[in-house]
């Protein structure tokens, strides 16, 4: 088209592609296996942008440019195929990464639940031990204290008796 305003969806889409690529790059910053797939994709996108820029320029040049643009339409197929191949490789790498992450999360969850279960059983064993041991220990302490009190009373009674004997 020669109407520049009708190309607004293309330019909006182009900005969206730029933003998406920046976001993908940011999200994969710590994953070299994904970063390796992004660079070829970036090159393919740049080639497609160049192709479309030439097509827009040809059409804007008038009749001769429009003929040239029509003749060049099939030339973009090679660029699209390379882009699709690069995008498919990136998608495959992302899918593998997501699956690996899910597997890692599942394994971490399983370990955490197992560890919490083991800790709970250990705490339960301690509680049972204390429930059985504490009353017995309290009985022993109470008995020992009762014996000490009885001995103290007996000693006090004996002391009083001796005090009265000496008075007598």
């Amino acid at each position: 088209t020669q109407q520049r305003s009708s190309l607004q969806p293309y330019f909006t889409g182009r900005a969206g592609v730029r933003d998406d690529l920046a976001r993908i790059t940011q999200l994969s910053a710590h994953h070299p296996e994904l970063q390796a797939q992004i660079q070829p994709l970036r090159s393919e996108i740049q080639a497609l942008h160049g192709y479309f820029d030439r097509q827009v320029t040809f059409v804007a040049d008038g009749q001769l440019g429009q003929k040239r643009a029509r003749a060049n339409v099939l030339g973009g197929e090679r660029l699209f195929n390379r882009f699709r191949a690069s995008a498919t490789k990136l998608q495959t790498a992302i899918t593998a990464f997501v699956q690996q992450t899910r597997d890692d999360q599942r394994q971490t969850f399983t370990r955490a639940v197992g560890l919490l279960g083991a800790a709970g059983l250990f705490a339960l064993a301690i509680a049972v031990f204390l429930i059985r041991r504490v009353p017995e220990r309290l009985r022993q302490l109470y008995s020992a204290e009762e014996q000490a009190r009885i001995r103290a009373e007996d000693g006090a009674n004996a002391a009083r008796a001796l005090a009265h004997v000496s008075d007598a």
Side-chain angles (χ1 to χ4, degrees), residues 127-140:
V128 167
F129 173 77
L130 290 176
I131 286 173
R132 298 191 81 172
R133 191 81 170 119
V134 167
E136 176 62 26
R137 182 70 177 137
L138 286 175
R139 188 190 62 70
Q140 289 173 353

Side-chain angles (χ1 to χ4, degrees), residues 102 134 139 165-167:
R102 283 183 182 150
V134 167
R139 188 190 62 70
V165 168
S166 63
D167 286 341

Side-chain angles (χ1 to χ4, degrees), residues 13-146:
R14 190 171 171 162
V17 167
R18 182 191 65 238
D19 294 344
D20 289 346
L21 196 55
R23 182 72 175 142
I24 290 169
T25 301
Q26 178 187 12
L27 290 172
S28 63
H30 301 293
H31 306 284
E33 67 280 4
L34 297 178
Q35 284 289 325
Q37 301 296 323
I38 291 174
Q39 188 53 43
L41 188 66
R42 188 182 307 275
S43 298
E44 300 307 325
I45 291 170
Q46 189 174 10
L48 283 169
H49 284 322
Y51 168 77
F52 282 119
D53 288 345
R54 282 189 305 278
Q55 291 294 86
V56 168
T57 302
F58 288 153
V59 170
D61 282 346
Q63 290 278 341
L64 185 60
Q66 289 176 9
K67 286 182 183 180
R68 193 168 178 193
R70 278 190 205 104
N72 196 25
V73 166
L74 294 179
E77 186 175 358
R78 187 182 94 257
L79 295 174
F80 278 113
N81 289 338
R82 285 194 344 220
F83 168 75
R84 281 188 193 106
S86 296
T88 300
K89 285 180 184 177
L90 177 61
Q91 183 63 42
T92 301
I94 289 172
T95 302
F97 173 73
V98 168
Q99 187 59 44
Q100 180 63 42
T101 302
R102 283 183 182 150
D103 292 345
D104 291 348
Q105 286 176 339
R106 193 172 296 116
Q107 188 177 28
T108 300
F109 175 75
T110 303
R111 284 181 187 162
V113 168
L115 183 62
L116 288 173
L121 287 175
F122 183 68
L124 185 60
I126 290 174
V128 167
F129 173 77
L130 290 176
I131 286 173
R132 298 191 81 172
R133 191 81 170 119
V134 167
E136 176 62 26
R137 182 70 177 137
L138 286 175
R139 188 190 62 70
Q140 289 173 353
L141 288 173
Y142 180 73
S143 176
E145 191 246 331
E146 182 70 20

Side-chain angles (χ1 to χ4, degrees), residues 146-162:
E146 182 70 20
Q147 292 296 326
R149 187 181 59 74
I150 289 172
R151 282 193 303 273
E153 284 179 4
D154 287 346
N157 287 339
R160 270 196 303 266
L162 285 176

